[in-house]
Amino acid sequence: MSGDLLRPGEFLRRTRLSAKALRLYAEQGLLVPDAVDPWTGHRGYAVAQVARARLIAALRRAGMPLARVRDVVDLEPGDRRAAVARWWDGVEEDLRRRRDLVAALTAETEEDDVREVTLREVPGRTVLTAERRLTVDELDAFITGAGEEIDAHLARCGARPAGPLRVVYHGMVTEDGDGPVEVGRPFTGSVEPAGDLRIRLQHAGREAVTCLSRREAEFPGILRAYDAVGAWVDARGLERAGSPAEVYLSARDADPDEAHVEVAWPVSGPA
């Protein structure tokens, strides 16, 4: 092994990493020895790896997950700065959402969210859908991407959308729960499945529904809307007959007070 390489002890002193962190970064492929002696197993690190180690440690101290560090550490400086800024914007948005939720959970007075909920008939229709198991940090990107893919495929097939985009939650989507989530749009015409896109029949039925503006739908307001619809259904002796859904009536950048999304829950029971 070249005498220009740093032994692990010297490398640790220069980088101020712990031996545990160095092993972890090696296991993750982020910081592997520059050379390993085939006879003795001694590891050697290049002097240039000191700066890389310090960068990895700084990103970790900032709270960046190892998976994201792997995507960032090899970028050119300008691209890396932009990537770190985008990640931090996401962190601050997540903190804002958490603050809002904690504020709602710790409010001294709990006021019922009085919302208008109605019962409507839903016709049977054919829907092009995409479904995935995911956690909450992946949700927005999946909804946007799946919606665009669905609409593009309908256009390629010459089919026509027959209603707004509908996002069905077949299970809770949180940091721990992974749904699954189904994004779909009803259509008329002839369409063939493609890739992850599937065709299914949405049966006719009834659903309880309330409508929110974009402002009202801001987290955690959307959660209170689910609670309001569920309470309305229970109070009338109806049965929840399927998975709840969000039906998007306008774009996410629409006027904050414009009707934006419906929270709908399929029901069965007395008319």
Side-chain angles (χ1 to χ4, degrees):
M1 187 162 22
S2 169
D4 295 333
L5 297 177
L6 302 175
R7 296 286 189 180
E10 177 62 20
F11 188 72
L12 292 175
R13 283 191 290 273
R14 293 197 186 195
T15 60
R16 301 184 67 186
L17 293 177
S18 68
K20 179 180 178 180
L22 187 59
R23 287 194 300 271
L24 175 61
Y25 299 161
E27 290 169 359
Q28 296 292 320
L30 286 168
L31 191 61
V32 298
D34 191 66
V36 178
D37 192 299
W39 301 106
T40 65
H42 291 161
R43 293 164 293 147
Y45 293 85
V47 173
Q49 288 182 286
V50 171
R52 179 184 179 88
R54 289 174 176 167
L55 173 60
I56 293 169
L59 293 171
R60 291 294 288 148
R61 282 196 298 273
M64 183 177 285
L66 281 172
R68 183 65 68 89
V69 171
R70 185 180 298 108
D71 295 335
V72 167
V73 71
D74 288 320
L75 297 176
E76 293 298 321
D79 293 335
R80 183 169 61 241
R81 288 192 293 271
V84 171
R86 287 194 299 272
W87 165 74
W88 188 248
D89 286 343
V91 171
E92 291 189 322
E93 174 63 17
D94 181 60
L95 288 174
R96 182 193 67 78
R97 291 165 62 89
R98 290 170 187 259
R99 279 196 302 270
D100 291 345
L101 180 56
V102 170
L105 292 172
T106 58
E108 291 187 5
T109 58
E110 295 185 3
E111 299 180 357
D112 292 334
D113 185 10
V114 180
R115 302 201 58 80
E116 180 182 359
V117 181
T118 58
L119 195 63
R120 70 181 176 194
E121 298 292 328
V122 180
R125 47 195 174 180
T126 307
V127 183
L128 183 64
T129 74
E131 183 174 312
R132 183 179 300 172
R133 288 193 174 276
L134 44 74
T135 51
V136 68
D137 58 321
E138 305 167 288
L139 181 59
D140 285 347
F142 172 64
I143 293 173
T144 300
E148 292 173 351
E149 185 179 5
I150 287 168
D151 288 345
H153 188 61
L154 291 177
R156 285 193 298 269
C157 295
R160 298 182 61 183
L165 199 71
R166 191 178 185 96
V167 182
V168 184
Y169 293 87
H170 296 296
M172 288 287 288
V173 178
T174 64
E175 286 77 3
D176 306 315
D178 61 354
V181 175
E182 179 186 12
V183 178
R185 190 185 293 279
F187 67 90
T188 58
S190 179
V191 174
E192 291 294 328
D196 294 331
L197 301 181
R198 297 290 180 266
I199 298 169
R200 71 169 178 84
L201 176 64
Q202 177 182 301
H203 296 287
R206 294 179 299 159
E207 61 186 13
V209 62
T210 190
C211 185
L212 294 84
S213 68
R214 188 166 66 83
R215 193 189 309 277
E216 292 172 323
E218 287 291 325
F219 186 88
I222 191 78
L223 300 182
R224 292 195 291 268
Y226 276 94
D227 291 341
V229 173
W232 188 91
V233 169
D234 295 341
R236 283 154 182 77
L238 299 170
E239 296 289 335
R240 306 181 199 200
S243 300
E246 294 169 9
V247 183
Y248 286 93
L249 308 176
S250 67
R252 296 197 174 192
D253 58 354
D255 186 294
D257 297 313
E258 180 182 343
H260 175 56
V261 62
E262 296 171 332
V263 171
W265 211 311
V267 299
S268 63

